[in-house]
Amino acid sequence: MKIGLALSGGGFRATIYHLGVLARLAEQNRLEEVTFISTVSGGSLCAGLVYAQSGFRWPSSEHYLNVVAPKARELLTTQDLERSLIWRVLTLLLSRPLSLLETRADDLSDLLKKNWGITVNVRDLPEQPRWMINTTCYETGKNWRFERFQMGDYVFGYSADPPVPLGDALAASAGFPGLIGALALDARPYEWFKYRRSSPGGDSDSREKERIQPPYPQVHLWDGGVYDNLGLEPLHNFVGGWRQGIDFLIASDASGRPDPETYQPGVKALFRIINGVMMDQIRSLRSRAVLERMINHKDAGGFLQIGNTCEDVLKNSPKKDDIPRLCPSCLSAEEAERAEKMGTTIRRVTPAEFERLFRHGFEVADYTLYAYHPDTFPYIGYVNSRWGKSAAE
């Protein structure tokens, strides 16, 4: 089976949740079947962390459980990217007061290199699985992707085999406006082309190319979540469903959902509309499109929504009779809500926070995939898993 993974944004909340999802796949030796990975923001940080602990190769399931996941837990519970970023800003302010207005993307890239060992260029990544790192291009308003063999978007154009540091691509993908900011990328050193008959979300591997002049000398690449916080566009289109090379699509959504709040005038209201209402609506439309393919077209896949409890999922599935047997051993509704409500930050997490989010990601994947695809994904149970047993010791 060929598995496509879409790992959403959501800061370290998403990073750790996705690590738990990957652990569920690894328990069944499914990581070896992953052919495509599309990531945004916290999902990009998750994949970058996984690659860095595997010699920048996609890990085997065994290596993931024994080496990658434990090392990721150590880094995320001992190192604080957010505090380090703030400290660098304060230090720089002493010599350059106006630097407060500058982007922090370069600083984040440098921290990822020093603290996480993200030392390679994007073009050094392996061909398989095909990893797509999603950002939002300010100039075109489109989804700009970094991949091993190219970068760009269908409006601006593409550049082949660019020597861009992987840390820069991850920082751009996670560069939330106002917190980290855009990565400024100079387009002039590269050769650019477009695919003939190019279209958004299409598979461009075999198309003819034509040389172009870049429309701007520089592009500014923001958080990929501004455009598509689920990272679904590269793996799904509204007409044809899953892209070629994917038999089973897993969308891991740790975006979280905005709560109702009292009106606050001015900038806060504008931020609420853009960051809350509009982005949540975009996420909702994309998730509905994917679910529509699964329900009405029988495209195989699973949508793994943070905050969903075992009972939430099973009561609407063919496996509702298993609620008394399976759900008591899973996280409670209160614990699942605590995982979902963790802030979108890149601060150091406590061991308890890591365990809650990691377990929640594992369990949501476990009971959601079992509920609709029991023959392909039999139920394991976190407490029975290798990771769960080691955590209990």
Side-chain angles (χ1 to χ4, degrees):
M1 185 168 65
K2 298 175 181 178
I3 297 175
L5 290 177
L7 306 182
S8 79
F12 279 177
R13 177 185 67 245
T15 299
I16 301 168
Y17 179 84
H18 300 322
L19 288 171
V21 170
L22 294 178
R24 167 58 186 86
L25 297 179
E27 283 284 339
Q28 202 180 346
N29 296 317
R30 293 284 188 181
L31 292 186
E32 289 79 356
E33 299 175 5
V34 175
T35 55
F36 286 88
I37 312 169
S38 176
T39 64
V40 182
S41 192
S44 295
L45 295 177
C46 172
L49 190 54
V50 168
Y51 272 100
Q53 306 312 314
S54 309
F56 296 100
R57 295 293 181 269
W58 186 244
S60 67
S61 295
E62 196 72 22
H63 185 72
Y64 179 84
L65 291 172
N66 293 332
V67 177
V68 175
K71 184 60 177 177
R73 175 173 55 184
E74 177 187 345
L75 288 173
L76 292 170
T77 58
T78 58
Q79 297 187 7
D80 196 321
L81 291 183
E82 191 170 278
R83 179 173 293 182
S84 298
L85 203 58
I86 293 172
W87 179 251
R88 289 168 72 101
V89 172
L90 293 176
T91 302
L92 191 59
L93 279 174
L94 296 177
S95 57
R96 290 168 50 202
L98 293 180
S99 65
L100 182 63
L101 303 176
E102 297 175 358
T103 177
R104 307 267 73 84
D106 290 341
D107 293 320
L108 178 57
S109 177
D110 191 46
L111 286 172
L112 292 173
K113 179 179 179 180
K114 292 181 178 179
N115 294 10
W116 286 12
I118 308 291
T119 56
V120 302
N121 289 334
V122 176
R123 67 182 182 184
D124 298 324
L125 294 169
E127 293 186 23
Q128 294 294 328
R130 183 172 167 183
W131 180 17
M132 304 167 180
I133 304 168
N134 298 282
T135 73
T136 303
C137 180
Y138 176 89
E139 282 74 11
T140 64
K142 302 302 179 185
N143 174 217
W144 180 290
R145 299 173 199 159
F146 289 98
E147 300 188 55
R148 184 192 65 81
F149 68 96
Q150 71 177 24
M151 67 175 177
D153 66 49
Y154 69 92
V155 172
F156 189 92
Y158 300 92
S159 181
D161 201 28
V164 176
L166 178 58
D168 284 4
L170 299 181
S173 185
F176 190 77
L179 297 177
I180 297 171
L183 178 80
L185 190 147
D186 189 352
R188 291 170 294 186
Y190 308 108
E191 294 184 355
W192 296 88
F193 64 90
K194 281 191 175 183
Y195 292 103
R196 291 192 173 95
R197 300 180 303 278
S198 181
S199 61
D203 196 340
S204 56
D205 295 354
S206 60
R207 292 182 186 164
E208 294 182 0
K209 303 172 183 178
E210 56 182 350
R211 290 278 300 274
I212 64 167
Q213 289 296 318
Y216 300 96
Q218 189 177 61
V219 291
H220 297 81
L221 306 176
W222 299 86
D223 181 1
V226 175
Y227 185 86
D228 169 18
N229 201 42
L230 297 180
L232 284 169
E233 183 177 88
L235 307 183
H236 157 267
N237 70 65
F238 291 88
V239 177
W242 310 163
R243 75 177 297 147
Q244 186 176 359
I246 296 177
D247 302 320
F248 196 98
L249 177 63
I250 296 177
S252 183
D253 181 11
S255 304
R257 289 163 282 200
D259 292 322
E261 67 176 51
T262 303
Y263 178 74
Q264 302 180 69
V267 175
K268 290 185 177 180
L270 183 62
F271 187 78
R272 161 75 171 172
I273 292 295
I274 296 174
N275 181 49
V277 178
M278 293 177 65
M279 287 182 64
D280 185 60
Q281 183 65 5
I282 294 169
R283 183 196 66 81
S284 179
L285 289 171
R286 290 193 180 276
S287 62
R288 290 173 190 171
V290 167
L291 291 171
E292 192 273 338
R293 294 297 310 187
M294 295 178 185
I295 296 169
N296 295 330
H297 300 271
K298 307 304 180 184
D299 289 353
F303 197 91
L304 314 180
Q305 174 69 59
I306 193 171
N308 279 355
T309 65
C310 180
E311 186 172 354
D312 290 335
V313 173
L314 294 189
K315 69 183 179 183
N316 297 312
S317 80
K319 295 295 182 180
K320 57 181 179 295
D321 292 342
D322 285 338
I323 289 176
R325 180 173 66 90
L326 302 183
C327 296
S329 63
C330 297
L331 287 179
S332 67
E334 292 75 19
E335 286 293 280
E337 184 178 16
R338 289 185 68 186
E340 181 188 5
K341 298 302 182 185
M342 177 180 165
T344 306
T345 69
I346 53 171
R347 65 167 176 81
R348 180 183 66 83
V349 299
T350 67
E353 288 174 324
F354 183 95
E355 172 64 16
R356 182 186 303 114
L357 279 163
F358 188 96
R359 176 172 180 171
H360 186 47
F362 184 106
E363 289 186 340
V364 172
D366 199 18
Y367 47 68
T368 303
L369 294 173
Y370 166 73
Y372 296 97
H373 304 278
D375 294 335
T376 307
F377 293 96
Y379 186 77
I380 294 174
Y382 181 78
V383 295
N384 301 317
S385 68
R386 284 174 284 177
W387 183 274
K389 289 178 180 177
S390 66
E393 293 176 353

